[in-house]
Amino acid sequence: MKWLKWLILLLLVFSTNVSYAHETAQPIFKVHLQSHQKIIALTFDDGPDPYNTPKLLDVLRKGSVKATFFVLGKRANKYPTLLKRIAREGHEIGNHGYSHRQFRKLTPRELSWEIRNTDHIIIKSVGKKPHSFRSPYGEVTSAIENVASQVGYNFIEWSIDPRDWEKGQTAQRIQRAVESHLHTGGIVLLHDGGGNRQETVKAVRALIRELKKKGYVFATITELTNMNK
Ligand SMILES: [Zn+2]
């Protein structure tokens, strides 16, 4: 029955190939919604940060708003309690790579390590596989798309960028920049890591109030991307 053994082996190889034959992860900049409902997703990159993230979580909790945190593996590893708090309070955790390197300059091996290692750290800490990935600096290459899809990710970019990381940026300017680019299905890029984000936290507090007045509802990235399926 040697042939049977070969057949089984062949089938196994074939089915393995099929399960890895993902389409590449095309980046998503915004979500085209069928309904006219006003929905927006707030996203926060480069954390968790022991100074900014708790303050931001307090503001989100007060406003009953769920957001998405694209965390760095390196920081998630250092602050597992903070990562657990983000998850416990109902926010989505996304993968932003391990150490914020420029992915287009990495070898395929380094690139894969950045994404897979962060994936493991998040799963180990919160017990749930993340679904959303954003590359550092929003870089897009076919190598990044391939690894992201192999690890089972949606590749998420953004459609509204108030440049909250800029030196001398104020809460008011961040708020105005978001409000002047508002659209349903929009993805807002903000940061809770990489420096003092006090102005971002203040802006988020004001944005929650003002956007709710305009009739907007806040969603996590996975909630938003599931809406047009
Ligand atoms: Zn970043």
Side-chain angles (χ1 to χ4, degrees), residues 31 41 43 67-68 70 92-94 128-133 153-154 156 187 219-229:
V31 173
T43 67
T68 304
F70 286 96
E92 178 174 351
I93 293 175
K128 216 168 107 187
K129 185 178 164 46
H131 299 295
S132 304
F133 163 78
Y153 280 108
N154 289 323
I156 308 298
I187 299 172
T220 65
I221 288 295
T222 295
E223 284 168 351
L224 188 64
T225 50
N226 281 341
M227 277 175 199
N228 72 339
K229 275 180 185 163

Side-chain angles (χ1 to χ4, degrees), residues 45-47 70 72 96 100 134-138 158 189-191 193:
D45 289 11
D46 303 349
F70 286 96
L72 292 172
H96 194 42
H100 218 277
R134 176 180 284 155
S135 55
Y137 314 102
W158 58 83
L189 171 66
L190 292 159
H191 298 81

